[in-house]
Amino acid sequence: MWDYTEKVKELFLKPRNVGEIESPDAVGEVGSMICGDALRLTLKIDKETNKIIDAKFQTFGCASAIASSSALTELIKGKTLNEALKISNQDIAEYLGGLPKEKMHCSVMGREALESAIEDYKGEKEPRVEEKIICKCFEVSEEKIRKVAIENRLTTVEEITNYTKAGGGCGTCIPEIEAILRDIWYVKIIPERPAAPKKLTNLQRIALIQDVIEREIRPRLQSDGGDIELIDIEGSRVVIGFRAMCVGCPMGDITVKSIEDKLKELVSDDITVEVG
Ligand code: FES
């Protein structure tokens, strides 16, 4: 049914590092059998070098869960904890030559198990604070939806379902997932600021546009590794160019709309923004 890569098939049929390490230095457990996927990761760590000497997993899940867990253990063995923490769920999927989009939640589960094991090793595991559960069918919290959406730049409920399973059951959580996505990609971008003067001269308008972009929009984009450049202002038409991580970003249209909304709010409601 699913279009699996040769690597997924190989690691499903002959998984690496299955089992449990005796007297492990770290244990990471995520998911639950009730929700259909669960992963237990055990690690042996060299305390001198902080290197992961051995990693084993036990999982309850489909072919891609087994392949993703196997890939994770292969990726982290021999790495220091800091190096291992740089491995993202996208790295796990890439190691497998890709996963069907509906199965990306398996790569997310691998990354979560790794984080959980390293927290366990460092003694950072907090007593579980009450998280707000958004999707009751799959026990997915708001924190997880936000984290996965931002890390993977997800903008639709369908993508959230593919990466976390949230929304893939009865569907009653979908409006809340939509609200979270709106909050992440539309509302959060710019903080409060005093309203603009009503009547502006041309020079005042240009100066205000530059000011809003420099003081409010660029720092926000730069904090996510992106950037923009103001290219031209022609009457109410503002032309910008994407730079750094913003170049080719799949959320480019949303970013342009957010910038336009903010300039309408703070400068003038006839402003239009386009990429030059
Ligand atoms: S509560 Fe999320 S799918 Fe049912």
Side-chain angles (χ1 to χ4, degrees), residues 134-138 166-173:
I134 299 295
C135 178
K136 295 187 176 59
C137 289
F138 294 104
C170 67
T172 52
C173 58

Side-chain angles (χ1 to χ4, degrees), residues 134 157 167 170-183:
I134 299 295
V157 172
C170 67
T172 52
C173 58
I174 286 175
E176 275 192 273
I177 297 173
E178 285 171 338
I180 292 169
L181 289 173
R182 271 198 306 277
D183 181 57

Side-chain angles (χ1 to χ4, degrees), residues 34-50:
I34 299 164
C35 299
D37 284 314
L39 171 59
R40 179 178 164 86
L41 178 70
T42 48
L43 305 179
K44 202 78 188 161
I45 297 165
D46 181 328
K47 294 179 182 63
E48 298 285 309
T49 60
N50 265 342

